[in-house]
Structure formats: C-alpha cells, structure tokens
C-alpha cells in the first residue's frame, strides 16, 4: 500500500522527466544520452495520466511514435489568439476588406487569409459575414435592393431624370432581374423601403443629347405629383367581390358623374357648340368638389383623361383654379393633393395650351407606368386606350388591372386576367389591348388587321358575342387600312376603300348597340372625312345628314 509497481517510476518523477524531455534540445542521431529506444520510451510512458503538458506523439516512418514532441501547426497555435475586435478595429480595416472582397471580387476565404497574413487581422468567418451584412457588402442583387432601385428610378424619372445603376462597376438591369426571377414591379414595390442603397451600388444620370431645360414649374409639378401618387396610386387589391363592389360605388359616385359631365362639355366645345358646352361645364363644376374626397382619386385620374382628350385652355385654367381654391377653403384635403392642384393652377395660368397638354401627358403616363408594366415591350400607357369611354363603366373592371402586367401582341386573342373572368367577359380586355396596339403604333403596325380579324372570327363563333369587341375589331381594321393608304390616291386605293367599308360597318354596329353619343358622332365625322378624301361627296353628305339626324337628341340623352 502506498507502493508503486516495480519498474514504473513515480508519477511525480515521471512528470518531471517528461517536462525535461520536452524542454531538452533534440539530440543528434549519434547521441547516447537517451538510454531508451523509441519503443521503450513509448512503453515506459504509457501509464502517465493526462496533464495540460500532454506529449503529442506522431508515428515514424516505421509506424512507431517519435520520441520528439510533435510541433503544433502555426494555424493551430494562432487559433488561441484573440479573434474578437471592437467596432473601431473593424472600421479601420473596412476599406481594405471592401477593396479585396468587392473591387477585386475575391472569395471570403482568400480575404481572410490576406488580412491575417498582411495585416495580422484575424477573425472567424461568422464574424466576417456578420460585418459584411452590416456594411451591405453584397456581390449579388438582392430583391430588397432591386426594389429600392426601382423606387429611386421612378422617383428620379418623376422629376425628369433618367437613371442607370451599377454594382461594382457592372450595369444592373432591373428588367432582366424581374424576368429572371419571374416577378413583377408590384412584387418589388411590396418590399421597397426607400432606404439607402448598398455602398456597392452607384446611381448616375446617363449622358444625353443636350436639350432645352424644362421650365422650373414643370419640375415642381412633377415632384409634387410624384409625392401624391406615391400615396394614392397603390397596388389594386386582389380580385374579390368586396373590392369590385367598391369599384361599383366609384362608377355611380357623384365624383365620376361630374367627370362625365365635364367630358361632354369639353367635347361640345371642341365641336363649336359653345352654348351647350357651357351648360354641361357649369353642371360639372357644381359637383366637381367631390373629386377632392379621399375615395375619389380614380375620378381625378379620369378627369385628367377628359381634359387631355378634348383640350381647352380656358377650361383648364378654370378647372385647376376652382379646385385649388376649393381645396384651400375646406378641411380634409391632404396636403400633397392641395400642392398638386396649386401647381397645376399656377402652371395653366403661365403657359400655353400645348405646354399644358404636355404636362398632362406626362402625368398620365407616369401614373400609367407606376408599376413598370408594358405592352409589346413598351411602357404601358392608359392614354393609348381611346376611345376611352365607349365601354359601359360596369364592364371595365379589367382596366384597373391592366397596369399590373406585361402584355404581348400575340396574347391578345386569348388574353385573360386570372380570377376576373368570373365577374367580366374577357372580350372587353382583348378589345382594349387591340386599341392600345393601334394607338401605340399610330395604326401603322401590320399586326393590327391580322389580330383584329382573328379575334373577330373567334367572337362571331362565340355563344355570346361581344358587341364592344366586334366594334373595336372593325374600327381597328378600318384605321389600319386607312394608314396603309396614306401614300396612295384615295379615290383608287383598295386599302382606302376597305377602310371606308370597315368603318361603315363599325358605325352601323355602334348605332344598334348604344344610344347616340359623342363616340358615335366622332365615328361618323371620321367616316365623312374619309368619303371626302376619296371624292365620294354623295356618301359624305349622306353621312353628315345621318350624323345630325341621329344625334339631334344627343344633348337630352347626355343630360340624363
């Protein structure tokens, strides 16, 4: 008891010997100081308990352990160094890390090795990743970043500035990103936070051909209109009964009724019927204050469509002046809208009709392209949808969703909006897309007649043919044939004859399908003009008489 086995040194003695071996310089191969062979040494030290001074033994070429202590790798020794750093230390190395990781596009592993080897800066990969995220040092385009790019692009466009974006010197194509990810501008707007861009992204105004600077008032209107529409022109709600009922309320609202009266008044002024036009405009102004109601922003948009379609300088001045003064006199009108009205009023007083039309075009195009939609790879534009108010308002739900999609010409014959066909015939959508194709190309695109005749054939074989779609097909084919005959003699041109025949069919359908009104009046006026171009004065006079006879009661119908 208290004795150790023979031949085995005491633990204390053996520990001292091990320490001595570790510290003792390595003997030369010829040295005889070591009394034990490697095998003997291994056997002798086996009972030694584990201590912090553990002797690491690595196998020889003979497969046996070496009596010399194994040297720890440099990286293992450095692993015991402190790897946490203060924020100031990280900031001191931030520029160099950015240069290596972003500018030179090195892997994180390589960056870590360089920082440790050249600067003695060591940190774990997890700590590096945390700092890269805090600094927004991202090599790839994240959805949140692209959303903010889109937001900034639209904001700069609103004040007349084009934008290009580059990440680490490479151009960022927002359109390509959305196509690749299968998302729309709406999806990006949902996640946009209008925050700062990552430091790796640079926004620049691309060089352009020098042009006259816009008057300062233009920029003021654009900035204020952008601020207001950023609040109001938001993503339409998903297609469901509750939201469509709200649209029905809008269709029967006093605000929209005032717009309809204003539209008729502007049209009558455009035809020279100033007395009747004045009556309608006075009736419109009596209800126009309803447009300032919070829920009536859609009517505001349609009001701009009306005065853009039938421009009249005096009406514009009175309209904006009245609305701005009314907004100043009542409570409840939000300040962004009030500033928009004030800017439009000032602008209309200081500039001529042409410049006022240009600013209206810009405002409508900006609102149309709010969500980056397109038609035939061109920005979507509601002003291309004319005649605008031929279709009954109760059958126009699809128009509130047109600006959410990318439309292609080849899709027109089968175009639908998911879930909407339960509430509305998709024929109305296809008719509107055909009108956009025509107006966008000024009726010169040869695809117009091909698509129109194909859709017309489908409609005629349908169990419930759409009169609106049939009219648009006939009207579009007529306008396209008329454009094809532009350089020909109208009296002998086959295309011009076809244009007159198709427009005559469209006018006949319009007379049967809807009560006589301004759209019917305009169709017959256009037909009369074409007959006169071809020298067919007899048909022109007959069309003129028919127009006046059919529209004799138009004012009574409109007032109702």
């Amino acid at each position: 008891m208290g004795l150790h086995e023979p031949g085995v040194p005491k633990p204390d003695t053996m520990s001292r010997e091990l320490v001595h071996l570790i510290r003792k310089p390595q003997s030369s191969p010829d040295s005889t100081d070591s009394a034990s062979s490697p095998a003997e040494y291994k056997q002798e030290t086996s009972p030694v308990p584990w201590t912090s001074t553990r002797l690491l033994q690595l196998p020889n070429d003979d497969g046996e352990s070496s009596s010399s202590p194994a040297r720890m790798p440099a990286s293992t020794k450095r692993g015991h160094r402190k790897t946490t750093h203060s924020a100031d230390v990280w900031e001191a190395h931030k520029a160099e890390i950015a240069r290596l990781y972003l500018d030179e596009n090195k892997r994180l592993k390589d960056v870590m090795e360089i920082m440790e080897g050249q600067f003695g800066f060591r940190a774990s990969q997890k700590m590096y990743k945390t700092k890269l995220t805090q600094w927004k040092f991202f090599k790839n385009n994240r959805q949140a970043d692209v959303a903010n790019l889109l937001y900034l692009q639209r904001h700069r466009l609103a004040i007349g500035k084009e934008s290009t974006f580059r990440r680490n010197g490479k151009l960022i194509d927002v359109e390509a990103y959305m196509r690749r990810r299968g998302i729309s501008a709406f999806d990006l707007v949902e996640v946009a936070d209008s925050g700062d861009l990552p430091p790796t992204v640079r926004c620049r105004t691309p060089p352009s051909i020098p042009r006259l600077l816009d008057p300062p008032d233009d920029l003021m209107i654009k900035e204020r209109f952008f601020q207001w529409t950023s609040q109001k022109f938001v993503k339409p709600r998903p297609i469901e009964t509750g939201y469509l009922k709200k649209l029905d309320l809008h269709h029967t609202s006093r605000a929209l009724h005032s717009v309809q009266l204003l539209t008729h008044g502007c049209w009558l002024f455009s035809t020279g019927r100033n007395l009747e036009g004045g009556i309608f405009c006075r009736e419109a102004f009596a209800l126009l204050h309803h447009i300032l109601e919070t829920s009536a922003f859609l009517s505001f948009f349609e009001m701009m469509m009306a005065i853009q379609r039938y421009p009249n300088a005096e009406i514009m001045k009175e309209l904006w002046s009245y609305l701005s003064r009314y907004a100043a006199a009542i409570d409840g009108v939000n300040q962004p809208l009030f500033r928009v009205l004030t800017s439009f009023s000032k602008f209309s007083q200081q500039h001529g009709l042409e410049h006022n039309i240009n600013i209206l075009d810009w405002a409508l195009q900006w609102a149309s392209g709010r969500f980056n939609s397109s038609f035939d790879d061109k920005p979507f534009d509601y002003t291309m949808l004319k005649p605008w108010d031929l279709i009954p308002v109760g059958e126009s739900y699809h128009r509130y969703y047109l600006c959410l999609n990318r439309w292609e010409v080849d899709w027109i014959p089968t175009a639908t909006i998911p879930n909407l066909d339960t509430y509305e015939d998709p024929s109305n959508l296809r008719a509107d897309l055909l009108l956009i194709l025509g107006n966008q190309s000024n009726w010169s695109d040869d695809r117009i007649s091909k698509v129109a005749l194909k859709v017309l054939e489908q409609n005629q074989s349908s169990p419930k043919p759409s009169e609106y779609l049939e009219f648009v097909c006939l009207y579009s084919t007529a306008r396209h044939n008329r454009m094809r005959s532009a350089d020909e003699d109208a009296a002998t041109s086959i295309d011009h004859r076809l244009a007159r025949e198709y427009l005559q069919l469209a006018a006949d359908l319009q007379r049967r399908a809807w009560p006589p009104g301004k759209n019917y009046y305009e169709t017959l006026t256009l037909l009369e003009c074409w007959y006169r171009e071809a020298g067919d004065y007899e048909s022109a006079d007959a069309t003129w008489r028919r127009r006046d006879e059919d529209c004799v009661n138009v004012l009574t119908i409109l007032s109702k």
Side-chain angles (χ1 to χ4, degrees):
M1 195 167 163
L3 299 175
H4 294 274
E5 295 181 8
V8 179
K10 293 182 179 181
D12 294 341
T13 304
M14 193 162 196
S15 298
R16 287 195 296 271
E17 292 176 357
L18 290 175
V19 173
H20 176 70
L21 286 173
I22 293 173
R23 295 179 179 175
K24 185 176 181 180
Q26 185 176 356
S27 302
S28 64
D30 300 329
S31 174
T32 58
D33 291 344
S34 180
S36 304
S37 67
E40 291 171 345
Y41 180 74
K42 176 180 181 183
Q43 180 180 1
E44 184 177 293
T45 60
S46 59
V48 178
W50 179 266
T51 67
S52 60
T53 329
R54 182 178 179 182
L55 177 64
L56 296 180
Q57 298 173 335
L58 298 177
N60 291 342
D61 294 338
D62 299 334
E64 297 184 358
S65 299
S66 170
S67 61
S68 300
R71 292 191 178 184
M72 299 177 66
S75 61
T76 305
K77 291 182 180 179
R78 286 191 296 267
H80 293 287
R81 297 177 184 172
K82 181 180 178 182
T83 58
T84 57
H85 306 285
S86 67
D88 291 340
V89 174
W90 278 101
E91 285 298 319
H93 293 287
K94 179 178 179 180
E96 185 63 23
I97 294 173
R99 185 183 68 81
L100 295 171
Y101 185 67
L102 299 175
D103 298 344
E104 298 186 9
N105 197 29
K106 292 186 181 296
R107 298 179 305 169
L108 179 56
K109 178 181 178 181
D110 298 332
V111 173
M112 293 171 63
E113 291 180 357
I114 294 173
M115 292 301 297
E116 181 176 1
Q118 296 184 7
F119 302 96
F121 180 79
R122 175 175 173 76
S124 67
Q125 188 178 68
K126 181 179 179 181
M127 296 173 68
Y128 264 98
K129 289 183 176 180
T130 299
K131 277 297 176 182
L132 293 177
T133 301
Q134 291 177 358
W135 292 336
K136 295 186 178 180
F137 285 1
F138 306 115
K139 291 186 177 181
N140 299 318
N141 295 321
R142 302 180 308 155
Q143 183 167 325
D145 291 339
V146 178
N148 289 334
L149 294 186
L150 182 63
Y151 179 90
L152 179 60
Q153 182 187 56
R154 307 304 293 177
H155 176 80
R156 287 167 57 84
L157 186 61
I159 57 176
K161 292 184 178 180
E162 297 289 339
S163 304
T164 59
F165 300 97
R166 293 182 178 274
R167 181 187 291 278
N168 303 324
K170 295 181 179 180
L171 183 67
I172 299 176
D173 190 339
V174 177
E175 299 287 336
Y177 175 88
M178 290 190 290
R179 288 194 299 268
R180 186 170 62 253
R181 298 293 295 272
I183 59 177
S184 66
F186 262 133
D187 301 317
L188 293 178
V189 169
E190 292 286 338
V191 299
D193 58 9
S194 68
D196 294 335
L197 297 178
T200 54
V201 176
R202 300 288 183 267
C203 176
R204 296 287 184 269
T205 300
S208 58
I209 299 174
R211 59 187 178 86
L212 294 176
L213 293 177
D214 289 332
D217 291 342
D218 286 34
L219 300 179
M220 180 68 71
I221 287 183
K222 291 176 180 180
E223 177 67 22
R224 291 181 173 180
F225 191 79
F226 170 80
Q227 292 172 353
W228 179 62
T229 53
S230 295
Q231 296 178 357
K232 287 300 180 182
F233 284 73
V234 297
K235 180 180 180 180
R237 291 175 55 185
I239 297 172
E240 43 88 17
T241 305
Y243 181 64
L244 297 184
K245 286 182 178 179
K246 289 185 177 182
L247 292 179
D248 289 336
L249 292 176
H250 159 65
H251 294 153
T252 57
S253 66
R254 291 185 176 183
L256 186 60
H257 182 54
S258 70
V259 173
Q260 292 168 338
L261 291 171
L262 180 66
T263 303
H264 296 315
C266 292
W267 165 66
L268 289 167
F269 273 116
S270 71
T271 63
R273 300 187 177 188
N274 296 338
L275 179 62
E276 296 90 339
I279 294 172
F280 273 87
C281 284
R282 282 192 292 273
E283 292 182 3
F285 272 66
L287 298 173
L288 205 57
H289 60 277
H290 290 289
I291 287 180
L292 303 180
E293 296 171 359
T294 303
S295 60
F297 65 93
L298 292 174
S299 298
F300 189 94
F301 177 80
E302 297 203 28
M303 178 192 72
M304 291 194 297
M305 293 282 288
I307 60 177
Q308 185 257 2
R309 182 178 177 183
Y310 303 108
N312 183 292
E314 294 305 317
I315 291 179
M316 286 186 187
K317 292 179 183 179
E318 289 300 323
L319 175 70
W320 297 123
S321 176
Y322 172 80
L323 287 175
S324 61
R325 286 185 284 109
Y326 196 98
I330 64 173
D331 296 326
V333 176
N334 64 14
Q335 286 302 306
L337 175 57
F338 175 69
R339 289 193 290 267
V340 167
L341 296 173
T342 302
S343 297
F344 270 115
S345 177
K346 180 181 177 181
F347 190 88
S348 64
Q349 299 291 333
Q350 297 180 347
H351 298 279
L353 180 60
E354 181 178 358
H355 217 52
N356 274 273
I357 294 173
N358 290 339
I359 203 67
L360 274 176
D361 288 342
W362 171 87
L364 291 168
Q365 289 164 6
W366 156 250
S368 301
R370 176 95 170 88
F371 303 107
N372 219 31
S373 56
S374 65
F375 180 88
D376 197 28
D377 294 328
K378 299 179 180 65
F380 180 80
D381 183 1
Y382 272 115
T383 63
M384 296 293 101
L385 184 50
K386 50 188 178 184
W388 168 264
D389 52 358
L390 179 61
I391 184 175
V393 291
E395 299 176 15
S396 60
Y397 294 136
H398 65 279
R399 289 185 172 177
Y400 300 95
Y401 297 91
L402 279 173
C403 60
L404 307 186
N405 297 277
R406 299 175 182 278
W407 303 101
E408 299 291 343
V409 175
D410 294 339
W411 302 349
I412 293 178
T414 57
T416 58
I417 295 178
N419 303 323
L420 190 60
D421 51 0
T422 306
Y423 305 95
E424 181 187 319
D425 185 352
S427 297
N428 299 329
L429 165 66
R430 295 162 192 171
D432 279 354
L433 293 176
L434 187 55
L435 283 176
I436 293 172
L437 171 60
N439 287 296
Q440 184 171 276
S441 64
N442 196 26
W443 303 102
S444 61
D445 194 318
D446 287 335
R447 294 174 295 178
I448 295 172
S449 291
K450 295 178 182 178
V451 174
L453 295 176
K454 181 177 181 179
V455 173
L456 181 62
E457 183 179 354
Q458 291 178 347
N459 186 62
Q460 291 173 344
S461 61
S462 172
K464 295 177 63 177
S466 166
E467 292 177 327
Y468 177 58
L469 178 58
E470 182 179 352
F471 168 79
V472 170
C473 289
L474 295 171
Y475 178 84
S476 299
T477 306
R479 294 295 300 265
H480 176 237
N481 278 282
R482 169 63 185 80
M483 182 57 65
R484 285 169 57 91
S485 67
D487 297 328
E488 301 174 358
D489 182 0
T492 59
S493 170
I494 297 177
D495 288 328
H496 199 286
R497 178 175 58 81
L498 288 174
R500 301 193 300 272
E501 291 176 357
Y502 276 112
L503 192 61
Q504 182 69 65
L505 292 172
D508 293 342
L509 172 61
Q510 205 170 0
R511 184 186 190 188
R512 296 192 307 270
W514 302 285
K518 66 181 187 307
N519 290 306
Y520 176 63
Y521 185 97
E522 290 174 345
T523 302
L524 290 180
T525 300
L526 183 61
L527 181 59
E528 176 193 352
C529 177
W530 288 0
Y531 276 129
R532 296 194 185 281
E533 287 178 352
D536 188 350
Y537 298 105
E538 181 178 351
S539 296
D541 291 340
T543 302
W544 175 75
R545 288 192 297 271
R546 175 184 171 185
R547 181 194 66 192
D548 283 358
E549 291 171 2
D550 289 345
C551 295
V552 65
N553 296 322
V554 67
L555 296 178
T556 303
I557 295 172
L558 291 176
S559 62
K560 293 180 179 179

